[in-house]
């Protein structure tokens, strides 16, 4: 009786464990189906919003958003994402959620096996809601949280047209607002975060979408130019004489300018007015900007501090620091060059006195100003040609530097891969050389000593012993039985 009871208990446990597994499997299937339904509903919501006015067009599929498939799948299954789809139905609510909940910008949560982070769940929800250009500008300029700004940059990097990225990112390349990108790591700046999105495809365990090669290299060239502009601005800020001169109305300077048809290069310009406060908020700017007029063509532009330089200094391509001059030399050359330049162009200066600053009349999108057609004089055309040649030469030098960095990066990855390979996949000679520190030399491992030959002994085997009569009779009997049985 006891044995049958134990057997019955084991059978019952087996049946219960099987039913529990089936129930668990049913729950997993139900959760997967629910996640698929929620994601499909969110995608459909985005498709309906894509026809609204001012929506930033997507350059990717409207149900993958250029995300890595594994990351997208994990976010779509996340209960937090499901909550976001149910509760965050507009842009304002999503921005508030970012403000209160996001603490870092990694795609996965630390300590959890491929659990998506809050930031990327909200990023996917923003993809499914869509974002207008006005809303994106508000995100990038948001003063309450750097995470609101950075999720805006991630949105653009994943889904916006690659050819528009530079226009969106350029004003923030050197933004110094602190932000924590990685959990438990030191803060970085918004500017460093923005530059990393343009330079690298690897993003903390996932991959950003690849940019077209031509656009990628053009962006890298512009980043190098931006570095030079930033360095020049820092040097000007440390040069008190230069800063005072730049803020004088009518000061003769050199300023950078370029458009869709011509590369960025230096032109002679006149300072019309220094901009010390933000035109919209009225807040004091950390660095002044300037209205400048290019006398050669008559057009007026707004330029930053790093886009102006001292008159007649260096070679029209480099800042005074890049030319090898010291800060004091820069200041003295500025004063002497400024007076000489003013004497040479005093007559032309009279035309720019009393210029009005009707911003509404001159302003065009992005703080730029309408330009009048260039005057077609031979001397000016020749000067402009020289400037354009210098600009193209500089762009070629920067492109060569970009290609060199790409080769060095590729070689570094190859070396890192070679050193990380298991020793079983390497040649034995390479292992021996690495042990003895003989890379690149003529050293060879010593030959192994030959084993001594063994002397062969040619001894004859003893003759077989003769069989007895009983053994012979047994053999014959065995043969007879075999013949009788098998014929």
């Amino acid at each position: 009786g006891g044995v049958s009871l134990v057997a019955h208990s084991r059978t019952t446990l087996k049946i219960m464990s099987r039913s529990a597994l089936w129930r668990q499997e049913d729950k997993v299937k139900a959760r997967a189906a629910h996640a698929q339904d929620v994601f499909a509903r969110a995608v459909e919501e985005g498709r309906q919003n894509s026809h609204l006015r001012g929506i930033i067009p997507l350059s990717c599929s409207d149900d993958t958003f250029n995300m890595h498939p594994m990351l997208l799948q994990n976010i779509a299954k996340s209960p937090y994402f499901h909550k976001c789809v149910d509760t965050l139905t507009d842009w304002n609510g999503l921005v508030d959620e970012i403000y209160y909940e996001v603490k870092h910008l990694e795609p996965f949560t630390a300590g959890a096996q491929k659990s998506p982070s809050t930031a990327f769940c909200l990023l996917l929800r923003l993809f499914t809601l869509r974002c207008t250009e006005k809303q994106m500008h508000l995100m990038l300029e948001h003063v309450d949280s750097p995470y609101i700004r950075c999720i805006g940059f991630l949105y653009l990097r994943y889904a916006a047209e690659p050819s528009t990225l530079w226009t969106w990112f350029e004003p923030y390349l050197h933004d110094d607002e602190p932000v924590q990108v990685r959990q438990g790591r030191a803060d970085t700046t918004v500017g460093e975060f923005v530059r990393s999105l343009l330079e690298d495809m690897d993003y903390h365990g996932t991959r950003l979408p690849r940019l077209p090669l031509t656009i990628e290299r053009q962006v890298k060239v512009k980043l190098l130019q931006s570095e030079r502009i930033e360095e020049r601005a820092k040097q000007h800020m440390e040069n008190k004489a230069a800063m005072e001169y730049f803020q004088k109305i009518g000061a003769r300077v050199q300023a950078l300018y370029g458009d869709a048809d011509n590369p960025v290069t230096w032109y002679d310009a006149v300072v019309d007015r220094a901009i010390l406060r933000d035109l919209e908020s009225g807040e004091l700017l950390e660095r002044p900007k300037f209205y400048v007029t290019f006398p050669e063509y008559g057009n007026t532009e707004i330029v930053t501090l790093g886009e102006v330089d001292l008159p007649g200094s260096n070679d029209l391509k480099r800042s005074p620091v890049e030319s090898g001059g010291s800060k004091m030399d820069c200041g003295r050359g500025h004063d002497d060059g400024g007076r000489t330049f003013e004497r040479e162009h005093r007559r032309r200066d009279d035309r720019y006195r009393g210029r009005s600053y009707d911003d509404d009349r001159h302003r065009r999108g992005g703080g730029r100003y309408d330009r009048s057609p260039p005057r077609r004089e031979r001397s000016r055309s020749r000067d402009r040609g020289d400037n354009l040649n210098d600009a193209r030469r500089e762009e070629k030098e920067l492109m060569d530097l970009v290609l060199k960095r790409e080769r060095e990066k590729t070689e570094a990855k190859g070396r890192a891969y070679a050193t990380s390979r298991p020793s079983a996949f390497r040649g034995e000679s390479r292992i021996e050389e690495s042990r003895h520190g003989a890379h690149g030399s003529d050293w060879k491992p010593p030959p192994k000593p030959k084993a001594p030959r063994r002397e062969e002994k040619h001894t004859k085997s003893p003759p077989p012993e003769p069989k007895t009569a009983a053994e012979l009779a047994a053999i014959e009997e065995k043969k007879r039985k075999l013949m009788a049985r098998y014929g």
Side-chain angles (χ1 to χ4, degrees):
V3 175
S4 61
L5 181 61
V6 171
H8 178 72
S9 299
R10 289 178 180 176
T11 305
T12 305
L13 288 174
K14 289 181 180 180
I15 295 174
M16 290 178 63
S17 61
R18 289 176 183 175
S19 62
L21 289 174
W22 291 335
R23 288 196 299 271
Q24 184 177 0
E25 185 177 357
D26 291 340
K27 290 180 180 179
V28 170
K29 291 181 179 179
R31 285 197 298 267
H34 175 68
Q36 188 174 1
D37 292 341
V38 171
F39 183 68
R41 176 158 48 90
V43 168
E44 185 61 29
E45 185 178 359
R47 289 170 179 168
Q48 294 176 1
N49 293 339
S50 62
H51 303 292
L52 299 178
R53 183 177 180 181
I55 291 291
I56 299 174
L58 300 180
S59 66
C60 55
S61 173
D62 61 0
D63 58 357
T64 61
F65 310 105
N66 276 334
M67 279 189 167
H68 191 280
M70 183 184 69
L71 176 60
L72 180 64
Q73 183 179 8
N74 289 339
I75 296 175
K77 293 180 178 178
S78 170
Y80 180 71
F81 176 73
H82 301 165
K83 172 191 171 185
C84 293
V85 173
D86 293 334
T87 60
L88 304 178
T89 58
D90 59 7
W91 178 83
N92 291 306
L94 186 138
V95 169
D96 290 341
E97 186 75 6
I98 296 174
Y99 175 79
Y100 287 110
E101 299 298 334
V102 176
K103 306 301 179 185
H104 65 87
L105 295 167
E106 286 189 273
F108 299 105
T109 301
Q113 186 66 23
K114 299 302 180 182
S115 177
S117 65
T118 302
F120 269 70
C121 287
L122 291 169
L123 175 62
L124 182 58
R125 181 54 179 152
L126 184 60
F127 284 141
T128 59
L129 286 175
R130 301 293 193 273
C131 189
T132 66
E133 293 185 4
K134 181 179 179 180
Q135 290 170 342
M136 181 56 65
H137 280 295
L138 291 174
M139 290 187 74
L140 302 186
E141 295 287 346
H142 213 286
V143 297
D144 292 338
S145 170
Y147 301 106
I148 297 174
R149 305 177 64 195
C150 291
I151 287 180
F153 289 121
L154 283 169
Y155 182 99
L156 294 170
R157 180 63 179 86
Y158 269 103
E161 185 65 34
S163 59
T164 66
L165 289 180
W166 181 256
T167 304
W168 283 107
F169 284 27
E170 182 186 12
Y172 311 99
L173 293 176
H174 302 283
D175 193 301
D176 58 359
E177 183 178 7
V179 60
Q180 187 177 40
V181 177
R182 304 192 65 181
Q183 306 165 74
R185 301 293 182 91
D187 289 353
T188 182
T189 65
V190 172
E192 292 175 351
F193 177 76
V194 169
R195 295 197 300 273
S196 69
L197 292 181
L198 294 175
E199 291 177 323
D200 300 326
M201 285 198 307
D202 295 327
Y203 185 82
H204 308 294
T206 187
R207 299 277 287 179
L208 298 174
R210 181 181 292 275
L211 297 176
L213 185 59
T214 303
I215 294 178
E216 180 184 0
R217 288 178 173 171
Q218 289 175 352
V219 166
K220 290 181 178 179
V221 167
K222 292 177 180 178
L223 284 173
L224 291 176
Q225 292 174 336
S226 174
E227 290 176 9
R228 295 186 177 185
I229 291 173
E230 177 67 13
E231 183 63 27
R232 189 180 300 113
K234 291 179 179 178
Q235 296 295 339
H236 288 337
M237 290 293 291
E238 296 175 0
N239 190 339
K240 185 177 180 181
M243 292 299 296
E244 291 177 354
Y245 181 83
F246 289 147
Q247 297 183 46
K248 293 179 181 178
I249 295 178
R252 312 297 298 181
V253 297
Q254 291 171 356
L256 285 172
Y257 179 72
D259 53 28
D261 300 324
N262 301 294
V264 177
T265 189
W266 292 102
Y267 295 95
D268 296 331
V270 178
V271 176
D272 292 340
R273 175 160 62 103
I275 305 172
L276 304 179
R277 294 185 176 274
D278 186 87
L279 297 177
E280 296 181 358
S281 65
E283 296 180 356
L284 189 65
L285 296 175
E286 182 180 355
R287 296 175 182 172
K289 298 180 181 179
F290 306 94
Y291 287 123
V292 299
T293 296
F294 297 92
E296 196 167 347
Y297 309 109
N299 56 306
T300 302
E301 305 288 340
I302 291 181
V303 294
T304 63
L305 181 59
E307 294 173 336
V308 295
D309 207 347
L310 306 173
S313 63
N314 50 76
D315 57 358
L316 296 181
K317 292 191 298 180
R318 297 177 297 171
S319 67
V321 175
E322 292 170 331
S323 300
S326 65
K327 298 173 187 176
M328 295 302 295
D329 294 338
C330 177
R332 289 194 298 271
H334 174 279
D335 295 337
D336 297 340
R339 286 194 293 270
T340 303
F341 206 89
E342 289 172 2
R343 286 196 298 271
E344 291 176 354
H345 298 274
R346 186 174 300 161
R347 183 177 301 175
R348 207 183 321 181
D349 288 344
D350 295 337
R351 293 183 299 168
Y352 298 102
R353 290 175 184 159
R355 177 182 294 273
S356 62
Y357 305 104
D358 189 350
D359 295 351
D360 295 334
R361 178 171 59 88
H362 290 283
R363 180 174 293 279
R364 202 170 65 172
R368 293 294 182 181
Y369 287 75
D370 293 333
R371 62 178 69 86
S372 58
R375 300 179 178 87
R376 302 181 180 276
E377 296 182 11
R378 289 187 178 180
S379 61
R380 292 176 181 175
S381 299
R382 184 166 55 252
D383 294 339
R384 185 184 185 189
D386 293 339
N387 289 347
L388 293 179
N389 290 335
D390 291 339
R392 293 189 178 98
R393 190 179 305 111
E394 182 184 11
E395 280 195 353
K396 184 179 183 304
E397 293 174 357
L398 295 177
M399 181 60 74
D400 292 340
L401 180 58
V402 167
L403 296 177
K404 180 182 177 182
R405 289 183 177 180
E406 288 181 355
R407 288 193 297 269
E408 292 175 349
K409 187 176 181 180
T410 302
E411 292 173 357
K413 286 184 176 180
R415 288 193 296 269
Y417 173 73
T419 56
S420 64
R421 292 176 63 190
S423 59
F425 293 97
R426 304 176 194 167
E428 291 297 330
S429 61
R430 184 175 182 87
I431 296 176
E432 291 294 332
E433 291 178 7
S434 64
R435 289 174 182 170
H436 292 82
H439 287 288
S441 68
D442 296 331
W443 181 90
K444 293 183 179 179
K448 296 181 179 180
K450 296 182 179 180
R453 284 188 174 184
R454 294 182 178 179
E455 296 182 0
E456 297 181 358
K457 297 180 181 180
H458 300 282
T459 57
K460 294 182 178 180
S461 58
E465 297 180 359
K467 295 182 173 13
T468 63
E471 291 176 347
L472 293 173
I475 292 173
E476 289 296 331
E477 181 65 19
K478 188 176 182 180
K479 288 181 179 179
R480 186 183 64 78
K481 289 180 179 181
L482 290 173
M483 290 296 293
R485 186 173 182 177
Y486 300 106

